[in-house]
Amino acid sequence: MATARPPRPPLVRSALLGAGIALSLSSGLHAQGPGPLQVTGVGEPVSVGAAMHRGYPAYPAWTLRALGARVDATPAGTRIFFGADTLEFMVGSPFFTAAGKPWQLVEPAYREGGVFYLPHQLFVEWLPRAYPEQIAHAPGVLRLLGGAPAAATTAAPPKPAPAGGGSGDTARRPPATPLGEPAPAPLVVIDPGHGGVDPGRIGPTGLREKDIVLQVSKRLARVLAERGYDVRMTRTTDTLIDLDDRGHMANEWRGSRPGLFLSVHANGVTDRRANGFETFFLSEARTEDERRVAEMENAAVVYEDNPRVTADDDLGFILSGLRNDFYIRASNTLAGLVQREFSDFHSGVNRGVKQAGFRVLVRAFMPAVLIELAFVSNPAEERLLGSGRFQVDAATAIADAVDRFFEEHPEWTGATH
Ligand SMILES: [Zn+2]
């Protein structure tokens, strides 16, 4: 059983581990922080004092250039290229990705005076552990072992910022995308729910959720592609994809581009009068009805070949750790936009933005929502769901919400502004 399960993502572990280590470290620190850190390896060593802007020690991201890393400012944060790996940090978030995998620090990265700061924990704990062959930490010193890592040797030699230099990362560094080159098209991953042996909800006349959501998803893919998005679908045929794999696929497709994840579903209950549309983002359910929908959609796992029965524990941990996550706020916004667009054409009840713990959303590290188009259990809405008119309207409404999202949040498009 344990062997069938992929390794637990590092997210939770690092959070727990990190908390313990940060405590033991900070107990030995006075209020001014841990003192200067010398970073040495490529070019002149740099020495920087610990910044205490947020009450915990942090160092500027640019100091990692002395390890041969390339450090680029992005609109939302900072991207660090070390060897073959890309580490991506966002302003205000303790979460980051390294080579596509999620990690969590005890404290968030932040920007101050135009300089991007990374928590002390990254320098003294995470980097030396993640790259034991290449990076060593001793009190006050972070050192590159051997030479600069191969893929980073083209990086410009590190230039320590002048003392007190306020111009900061953003002003001095080239943007991640060279000027004059268009930013990559944002990715939109469309995830038609269910499929194969899992029919989803079934309507009074036999309409199956898995078929409806695939039809709407295909229409949506066409509309979004026409509008210039890079569109991927987790399935295009009547097949079952494991819930956990759907998010993994999305992360791989995204790389370091901006991206959104849209899971498309239809609702169903025994009360045939229930009707309307609702959009969920990932968080802990607050109401019985939210829990009901999450259980209904998470139940798809019973059709999987190797159901990962212990994953509910992961879900709980991740949810409790994600409350302030950057993506959660963006997902909430996106859910609101979908509801607004649906209210313009949908004849059913606007049931609003809701939150619950969906397995399919947990693994997607990007703004992600789950849309319940209508109730297939309601005879009138079952007819609607099967109609081409409704499917086109629903696809257009979702595409409009995606447009609005990127208009209102240019920081997610990767465009410099
Ligand atoms: Zn569903």
Side-chain angles (χ1 to χ4, degrees), residues 88-146:
E88 184 135 20
F89 297 85
M90 292 203 187
V91 171
S93 175
F95 295 90
F96 68 103
T97 57
K101 280 200 182 129
W103 293 87
Q104 183 182 12
L105 297 168
V106 175
E107 309 288 0
Y110 65 92
R111 195 174 271 150
E112 180 74 36
V115 177
F116 195 80
Y117 287 89
L118 296 165
H120 176 259
Q121 185 196 2
L122 182 88
F123 294 82
V124 305
E125 177 200 327
W126 193 89
L127 284 169
R129 284 198 192 175
Y131 302 100
E133 317 266 279
Q134 287 143 303
I135 300 175
H137 174 256
V141 183
L142 193 63
R143 196 159 49 87
L144 184 70
L145 304 169

Side-chain angles (χ1 to χ4, degrees), residues 93 120 143 168 173 199 223 230 239 242 350 357 384 389 396:
S93 175
H120 176 259
R143 196 159 49 87
R173 317 290 176 220
V223 177
D230 181 8
T239 48
D242 286 4
N350 181 346
L384 269 185
R389 179 74 249 163
T396 308

